[in-house]
Amino acid sequence: MTGMILVLAGLLLGIVCFVLAVRCASGDQARPAIDPSLQGELFTAVMGLKAAAWGAGFLCAVYGVSFLYCAAARGSVSWETFYSVWAKADSVHYRNLAELGYFDYAEDGQHLFLVFFPLYPWLVRLLYFVMPNYDLCGHLLSAAAYIGGCYVLARLVTEDFGWRTAKNSLLLFSAYPFAFFFAGVFTESLFFLLSVSTFYCIRKHRYLAAGLLGAFSALTRMQGVLLILAGVAEYVVSENAVEKCKARAWKQLWRGFRQRLLPLSIMLVGVGVYLWLNYAVEGNPFQFTVYQREHWYQHLVPVTKCLSVILGQFSTSSIGLLFTIWLPEFMIFLLCLGALLYGARRLPVTYGVYFLGCVLLNYSLSWPLSCGRYMACAFPLPVTMAAASERRQLLGQGMACLFALLQGAYLYAFLSGASIW
């Protein structure tokens, strides 16, 4: 049974890759949306305020639940108690990196925390000069980035598909079962803001701005490099690059490469800074890969191998881990497959390329403990779901309600100390 599931997953991913490749080669974006009635709209200041207010409201809800939990379970409502229930998993390491830096934060003489990308702790440390409290700085940075990300996402989707789709995208994005991580001292909010801003600039063909923002994205999370693929796909389709190759229009191709693709390579500066950090600390620019494999038991594997690990845990892990890690990760993968298949022929190809890259990279880990959290930043998923539910409003609302209920359960489990990474 497991083998059949893996074969089917590989086949479906192959179909998505083929469809996206054909669309890139043909330059076919005649149907930018699922429904011809879905047309982009002018994004107004009122819409922007509503999107930002939505982000702020979501954060208030998450923080409100956190304080209620502190009052009920800890018997104390204070900043110290609040920080303590959120100081879990990677957030502890980001906080310590902000305070101690990569040179001084070590364990048994090893700089094991080089595996964490540096932009987030660097910004927290910068904020510390204004507000001398690392925990508060971390939460404020995440909150501000999330609100900004909601604004940019709403603008992106409104100008591509319309305001109603943008509102539904925000609803599904915030209701996602692991979206509460956006409120914590994690990189999710910052990466969301930077990645969706980079994507927006790519869609608007502002390639220099996309390259600069993409460099910061790549300095925040490994997935940031995937934005280069989105930029290349947008260029190939919008500029009919394949047809120009066939026509041997070399001068036009060179001009497009110089003016558009070359600025996108600035994204690699973020990767270079991270490699330099590894070299400065350990003398090896790829030292993080050593720690990833030897200490964190993490390396890249084929998607089918990652899925095999997840399915294998169904019969060996405890009931608690099954429902907090392995089952939701597998169900999210199936949801992503469905969204990829649905959107590959109906959404602009740039969305599909970036979404596919997110799925492939996040589900290529040898020990996939955090796939659910990582996929929270894959904004093409809620956009695709929102566009697909335009004619099926009850379906979209039902999915949002289900997501919200699951998020409430997982947030409570996280605050209680359950294994949610």
Side-chain angles (χ1 to χ4, degrees):
M1 183 63 180
T2 299
M4 292 179 61
I5 293 175
L6 296 180
V7 170
L8 181 60
L11 178 62
L12 293 178
L13 284 173
I15 292 173
V16 172
C17 292
F18 175 76
V19 172
L20 292 175
V22 169
R23 290 195 63 195
C24 278
S26 63
D28 178 19
Q29 281 194 303
R31 292 184 66 196
I34 292 173
D35 188 334
S37 65
L38 287 176
Q39 300 294 330
E41 299 178 32
L42 178 66
F43 189 74
T44 65
V46 174
M47 294 176 182
L49 287 173
K50 289 181 178 179
W54 175 271
F58 166 78
L59 293 171
C60 288
V62 174
Y63 291 144
V65 170
S66 302
F67 280 113
L68 288 175
Y69 173 83
C70 292
R74 300 293 181 90
S76 172
V77 180
S78 65
W79 285 111
E80 289 73 19
T81 310
F82 173 83
Y83 294 146
S84 67
V85 298
W86 277 94
K88 297 180 177 67
D90 295 346
S91 66
V92 177
H93 302 310
Y94 283 116
R95 191 260 186 217
N96 290 338
L97 284 170
E99 181 179 7
L100 302 174
Y102 283 87
F103 286 92
D104 295 329
Y105 186 35
E107 186 175 298
D108 297 328
Q110 294 181 303
H111 298 94
L112 302 174
F113 308 102
L114 279 169
V115 299
F116 296 101
F117 280 58
L119 184 60
Y120 185 85
W122 284 351
L123 290 178
V124 172
R125 188 178 184 89
L126 187 64
L127 281 175
Y128 180 80
F129 291 104
V130 180
M131 295 171 292
N133 185 310
Y134 285 106
D135 297 305
L136 178 60
C137 290
H139 281 285
L140 287 177
L141 174 60
S142 294
Y146 182 76
I147 293 172
C150 286
Y151 173 89
V152 179
L153 178 62
R155 183 165 189 165
L156 168 71
V157 181
T158 298
E159 294 179 1
D160 272 348
F161 308 117
W163 173 238
R164 189 170 71 170
T165 306
K167 291 190 294 183
N168 291 333
S169 297
L170 285 176
L171 173 63
L172 290 163
F173 185 80
S174 297
Y176 180 79
F178 298 98
F180 61 86
F181 279 104
F182 288 117
V185 184
F186 299 91
T187 58
E188 267 65 30
S189 285
L190 181 61
F191 182 72
F192 165 49
L193 170 62
L194 292 171
S195 60
V196 74
S197 298
T198 303
F199 193 90
Y200 177 81
C201 290
I202 289 172
R203 288 289 293 157
K204 297 302 176 184
H205 301 170
R206 300 169 186 168
Y207 291 103
L208 180 58
L212 293 171
L213 289 168
F216 289 116
S217 299
L219 199 56
T220 306
R221 292 262 298 262
M222 174 178 60
Q223 292 86 345
V225 298
L226 297 174
L227 291 159
I228 294 180
L229 301 178
V232 172
E234 180 70 27
Y235 167 74
V236 170
V237 172
S238 63
E239 298 293 327
N240 294 317
V242 175
E243 295 299 322
K244 289 179 181 178
C245 284
K246 293 178 180 179
R248 298 185 178 182
W250 308 123
K251 288 186 178 179
Q252 295 182 41
L253 285 170
W254 168 247
R255 188 182 306 113
F257 174 82
R258 187 182 70 250
Q259 296 177 352
R260 296 171 178 82
L261 291 185
L262 198 59
L264 288 176
S265 65
I266 298 175
M267 295 185 192
L268 298 176
V269 172
V271 179
V273 172
Y274 179 59
L275 296 180
W276 168 83
L277 176 64
N278 277 260
Y279 179 79
V281 175
E282 285 280 4
N284 177 10
F286 299 98
Q287 184 64 33
F288 70 98
T289 62
V290 177
Y291 288 144
Q292 282 277 26
R293 181 180 293 270
E294 295 181 355
H295 180 78
W296 303 96
Y297 309 108
Q298 197 70 275
H299 59 276
L300 294 179
V301 297
V303 174
T304 51
K305 175 64 176 177
C306 177
L307 291 175
S308 179
V309 172
I310 293 174
L311 291 173
Q313 294 296 322
F314 281 19
S315 59
T316 59
S317 66
S318 65
I319 295 296
L321 292 178
L322 176 63
F323 283 96
T324 58
I325 298 179
W326 308 117
L327 185 58
E329 287 190 345
F330 183 66
M331 297 306 295
I332 289 170
F333 178 80
L334 294 181
L335 177 64
C336 290
L337 267 186
L340 280 168
L341 289 170
Y342 195 77
R345 286 289 300 168
R346 295 171 173 85
L347 265 66
V349 69
T350 314
Y351 283 85
V353 168
Y354 180 64
F355 187 19
L356 178 62
C358 289
V359 175
L360 291 177
L361 186 56
N362 289 326
Y363 280 90
S364 294
L365 302 175
S366 58
W367 189 230
L369 286 177
S370 305
C371 294
R373 171 161 68 95
Y374 294 159
M375 288 305 298
C377 295
F379 56 85
L381 173 60
V383 173
T384 303
M385 294 174 64
S389 63
E390 280 296 324
R391 292 183 175 181
R392 306 171 183 85
Q393 289 294 314
L394 288 178
L395 175 62
Q397 294 169 3
M399 286 297 299
C401 290
L402 176 61
F403 275 10
L405 290 173
L406 289 172
Q407 183 179 170
Y410 287 130
L411 174 58
Y412 176 81
F414 175 82
L415 297 174
S416 303
S419 297
I420 298 179
W421 307 101

